[in-house]
Amino acid sequence: MRRGDTVVFGDAPAVTAWAAAGGKKESEGPLAGGFDTLFTDARLGEETWEMAERGLARSALETALRKARTGAGALDGVFAGDLQCQCTASAYLMRGVDAPFLGLYGACSTMTEALGLAACLVSAGHMRLAAACASSHFCAAERQYRTPLNYGGKRTPTAQWTVTGAGAMLVAPGKSVPKAPRIAAVTFGRVRDFAVRDITNMGAAMAPAACETLLRYFADTGEDPAAIDCVFTGDLGAVGSELLGQLLAREGLRLGPRADCGLLIYDRAEQDVQAGGSGAGCSACVLAAHILPRLAAGRLRRCLVVATGALMSQTTFLQGESIPGIAHLIELRAGAAQKEGSA
Amino acid sequence: MRRGDTVVFGDAPAVTAWAAAGGKKESEGPLAGGFDTLFTDARLGEETWEMAERGLARSALETALRKARTGAGALDGVFAGDLQCQCTASAYLMRGVDAPFLGLYGACSTMTEALGLAACLVSAGHMRLAAACASSHFCAAERQYRTPLNYGGKRTPTAQWTVTGAGAMLVAPGKSVPKAPRIAAVTFGRVRDFAVRDITNMGAAMAPAACETLLRYFADTGEDPAAIDCVFTGDLGAVGSELLGQLLAREGLRLGPRADCGLLIYDRAEQDVQAGGSGAGCSACVLAAHILPRLAAGRLRRCLVVATGALMSQTTFLQGESIPGIAHLIELRAGAAQKEGSA
């Protein structure tokens, strides 16, 4: 059922399996134990960082399929995207995955855009099993958006560290796997641009979009913010999270616990990541390594994931354009078994 | 209803309005009369080609909304994509359109990916009115994928000319506008890579994907190819169209009339476009300027549009990777009034 910008699913689709693959820095972070695979070689044995990112995505997708005891042949569609120009990590991933491919670009919001669309098509019966994937790679992103790595540019305190990692999730009709976490609702976001031009401060560029989408979700559904265990933002980092708090306060929306994927994935005190993590792989990895396992274990009953994206390119940056932000929200709930306390 | 890779809509969504905006070369081509707006200035008064492309997309979307006597506020979602790195033509378009934004990347297949997804969400009741848009710009694409324009590189005979243009279409429930053309089915494509490495021969890279998707559509639906008035491929150009014919013959699929958007939009004898047109705007413009008007007028009853995409980037090209191809298919039918011959 559609309410405003929010689709509330009558029979909420299930996330039946998930997996996260990460790199060396992720292996040293607080969520390392939740990853399925961790690679210490930034190239994964490939010749280029771009193909290494494809390797991360492949690892995540193959692991998720293995956990679900199925193969790519069972997939009616793969919704996938990444940060590389022309989304090549996903396109080249799909060269080896014989399933229909729906390429997405939502920058760091890609994971919830993909999950939201997968849930819409599965709930309608248009797909029986869909995969949602997103990935990023620090080295591939840094040289593409900013400066060559070997230039060794000094990073500003507001900068965020692009996650080297990928997450993959499978979405199927809710009744097929009653215990699995559900996608109860999705709010696709609108572009918001508060004229931030600093590509080393993306948290500030994305915070207004996160605020907008949260306001719409609560207005559309009439839900009580106190009923939500936690609101996870995608990758606002320290600066954007602080700004979101200010924006929400100004709008009078009082949320309960709030966490940011970009702050969960690294230890800022120890890992030299400036304002925290970012990248399409950030919310993807935190979903698969942290949020979904907690829903499956009944440690979370109900949460919102609001992945945020900064929609600029190096070209628009050099042309002096400001950074449009977007945020797509999904509401996740623990599966049926957990509701009865039997998890 | 899902059959194989194909979604066949029970109550087929309608394309209720459409518009095409083009540039100077398009204004000199055979379809010029079908465009809603033609700009002779490649910059549209903007400072950059990238922002000019956004201007084309804005023109197409605003015109389609005006034809439907509605505004952006009525849109439950805009599915849009383009060829610019990070799809910035679409992202910056959405800065001025206050509606939920679903960013897509399907290279030159974006238009049918967008229409297919819009139809899926509308048919499910997840959206009441959705827009689908795609755009490209010769100057923005050429310098991004190949060489700076002022380098004046010689173009090979297999090269294709990126369309400077945009198309926008509105999708709503079929019963709301019985006379409007319908999206009867969609087949989302799988990546096919026949190891073509020449970025000046994209038709060859995309033809296998078009063949694959056509084979699946006919196998999934059991339709008789003779029942289809015309199969429009996206932008295979002269080389890819010829190769598709060979592949189809080898597979034993006998189609009736076949046309290619990349060959329809320009006059190859007069316009110096080598193997024909291409770009995400190519099938978008031909749909809005040629195919949809013919369906509305009853001159076409039933056709397939198979937009094709070459999923490489300049980075993967320089890294020596081959070009993955994809093709998304939509089946279009004339609206109810046309069926009764009252058009």
Side-chain angles (χ1 to χ4, degrees):
Chain A
M1 186 180 14
R2 189 164 187 106
R3 295 180 191 161
D5 281 4
T6 302
V7 179
V8 180
F9 297 110
D11 183 13
V15 186
T16 60
W18 51 86
K24 184 162 182 289
K25 203 165 194 98
E26 293 67 33
S27 77
E28 297 159 353
L31 302 188
F35 278 79
D36 296 272
T37 318
L38 289 160
F39 298 89
T40 50
D41 167 18
R43 284 231 166 88
L44 280 80
E46 299 276 358
E47 281 187 24
T48 66
W49 293 321
E50 285 74 17
M51 286 298 132
E53 182 178 335
R54 176 193 62 172
L56 291 164
R58 185 160 56 196
S59 168
L61 181 58
E62 286 178 354
T63 305
L65 287 167
R66 201 161 52 237
K67 286 181 176 178
R69 295 193 179 82
T70 189
L75 293 171
D76 283 341
V78 178
F79 295 85
D82 58 274
L83 300 179
Q84 290 179 20
C85 293
Q86 285 74 49
C87 302
T88 46
S90 305
Y92 284 79
L93 162 72
M94 293 307 295
R95 201 159 63 169
V97 178
D98 196 9
F101 170 42
L102 289 298
L104 306 181
Y105 186 75
C108 308
S109 74
T110 301
M111 194 66 245
T112 48
E113 182 184 352
L115 279 172
L117 282 172
C120 284
L121 270 81
V122 165
S123 85
H126 295 328
M127 293 186 179
R128 292 152 299 190
L129 183 67
C133 307
S135 63
S136 52
H137 191 300
F138 175 79
C139 303
E142 202 61 20
R143 74 163 165 194
Q144 176 183 280
Y145 283 109
R146 294 171 196 95
T147 52
L149 278 187
N150 28 14
Y151 175 77
K154 177 76 182 153
R155 296 171 62 81
T156 68
T158 56
Q160 291 176 244
W161 189 277
T162 304
V163 166
T164 298
M169 288 132 223
L170 305 186
V171 180
K175 52 180 177 273
S176 65
V177 189
K179 287 186 185 179
R182 306 300 180 88
I183 301 175
V186 54
T187 310
F188 293 116
R190 295 164 182 247
V191 168
R192 287 295 176 265
D193 189 325
F194 275 29
V196 174
R197 285 183 163 74
D198 179 0
I199 54 165
T200 64
N201 189 3
M202 292 188 301
M206 300 188 291
C211 179
E212 166 83 18
T213 301
L214 281 163
L215 287 170
R216 286 192 179 266
Y217 166 81
F218 285 107
D220 292 345
T221 61
E223 291 293 351
D224 179 1
I228 306 293
D229 292 344
C230 187
V231 173
F232 295 94
T233 45
D235 55 349
L236 293 176
V239 177
S241 293
E242 168 74 22
L243 289 171
L244 175 61
Q246 293 173 17
L247 291 168
L248 291 171
R250 193 185 298 169
E251 299 288 346
L253 180 62
R254 289 165 188 267
L255 299 181
R258 188 155 64 82
D260 185 71
C261 298
L263 296 174
L264 291 167
I265 195 164
Y266 299 126
D267 180 342
R268 284 176 68 222
E270 298 287 336
Q271 290 193 281
D272 193 24
V273 293
Q274 295 77 48
S278 70
C282 181
S283 53
C285 286
V286 175
L287 259 162
H290 182 73
I291 301 171
L292 288 164
R294 284 169 175 248
L295 285 160
R299 293 175 63 189
L300 274 173
R301 321 286 306 172
R302 195 170 169 196
C303 66
L304 306 181
V305 183
V306 195
T308 46
L311 299 173
M312 80 295 178
S313 72
Q314 198 187 35
T315 300
T316 60
F317 164 66
L318 293 171
Q319 291 173 347
E321 294 290 338
S322 58
I323 303 173
I326 195 161
H328 300 297
L329 176 154
I330 55 170
E331 181 195 330
L332 293 172
R333 297 195 189 206
Q338 278 66 39
K339 274 187 195 154
E340 293 148 25
S342 64
Chain B
M1 186 179 19
R2 189 164 186 105
R3 297 179 189 161
D5 281 5
T6 302
V7 178
V8 180
F9 297 109
D11 184 12
V15 186
T16 58
W18 52 84
K24 183 159 181 290
K25 203 168 194 94
E26 293 67 33
S27 77
E28 296 159 355
L31 302 188
F35 278 79
D36 296 273
T37 319
L38 288 160
F39 297 88
T40 50
D41 166 18
R43 284 230 166 87
L44 278 80
E46 299 277 356
E47 282 187 22
T48 66
W49 293 321
E50 286 73 18
M51 287 299 132
E53 182 178 337
R54 176 192 64 171
L56 290 164
R58 184 161 56 196
S59 167
L61 180 58
E62 286 179 353
T63 305
L65 287 167
R66 199 162 52 237
K67 286 181 177 181
R69 294 194 179 82
T70 188
L75 293 171
D76 283 341
V78 178
F79 295 85
D82 58 273
L83 301 179
Q84 291 179 18
C85 292
Q86 285 74 48
C87 303
T88 46
S90 305
Y92 283 80
L93 163 71
M94 293 307 295
R95 200 158 64 168
V97 179
D98 196 9
F101 171 43
L102 288 299
L104 306 182
Y105 186 75
C108 308
S109 74
T110 300
M111 194 66 245
T112 47
E113 182 185 352
L115 278 172
L117 281 172
C120 284
L121 270 81
V122 165
S123 84
H126 294 329
M127 292 186 179
R128 293 153 297 191
L129 183 67
C133 308
S135 63
S136 52
H137 191 299
F138 175 79
C139 302
E142 202 61 21
R143 74 162 166 196
Q144 175 183 281
Y145 284 108
R146 296 173 195 95
T147 52
L149 279 187
N150 28 14
Y151 174 77
K154 177 78 184 154
R155 297 171 62 82
T156 69
T158 57
Q160 291 175 244
W161 190 276
T162 303
V163 166
T164 298
M169 288 132 222
L170 305 186
V171 180
K175 53 179 175 272
S176 65
V177 189
K179 287 187 186 178
R182 306 299 180 88
I183 301 175
V186 55
T187 310
F188 293 117
R190 296 164 182 246
V191 169
R192 287 296 175 264
D193 189 325
F194 276 29
V196 173
R197 284 183 165 73
D198 180 0
I199 54 166
T200 63
N201 189 1
M202 293 188 303
M206 300 188 292
C211 180
E212 166 83 18
T213 301
L214 280 164
L215 287 169
R216 287 193 179 267
Y217 165 82
F218 284 108
D220 292 345
T221 60
E223 291 293 350
D224 178 0
I228 306 293
D229 292 343
C230 186
V231 173
F232 294 94
T233 47
D235 54 349
L236 294 175
V239 178
S241 293
E242 168 75 24
L243 289 171
L244 176 60
Q246 293 173 18
L247 291 168
L248 291 171
R250 194 186 297 169
E251 299 288 345
L253 180 62
R254 288 165 189 268
L255 299 181
R258 187 156 64 82
D260 185 70
C261 298
L263 296 174
L264 290 168
I265 196 165
Y266 299 126
D267 179 342
R268 286 176 68 223
E270 298 288 334
Q271 290 192 280
D272 192 24
V273 292
Q274 294 77 47
S278 71
C282 181
S283 53
C285 286
V286 175
L287 260 162
H290 181 73
I291 301 172
L292 287 164
R294 281 169 177 248
L295 285 160
R299 293 175 63 188
L300 275 173
R301 320 286 307 172
R302 196 171 168 194
C303 65
L304 305 181
V305 182
V306 195
T308 47
L311 300 173
M312 80 295 177
S313 72
Q314 197 186 36
T315 301
T316 61
F317 164 66
L318 293 171
Q319 291 173 347
E321 294 289 338
S322 58
I323 302 172
I326 196 160
H328 300 297
L329 176 154
I330 55 170
E331 181 195 328
L332 293 172
R333 297 194 189 206
Q338 278 66 39
K339 274 189 192 147
E340 293 149 24
S342 64

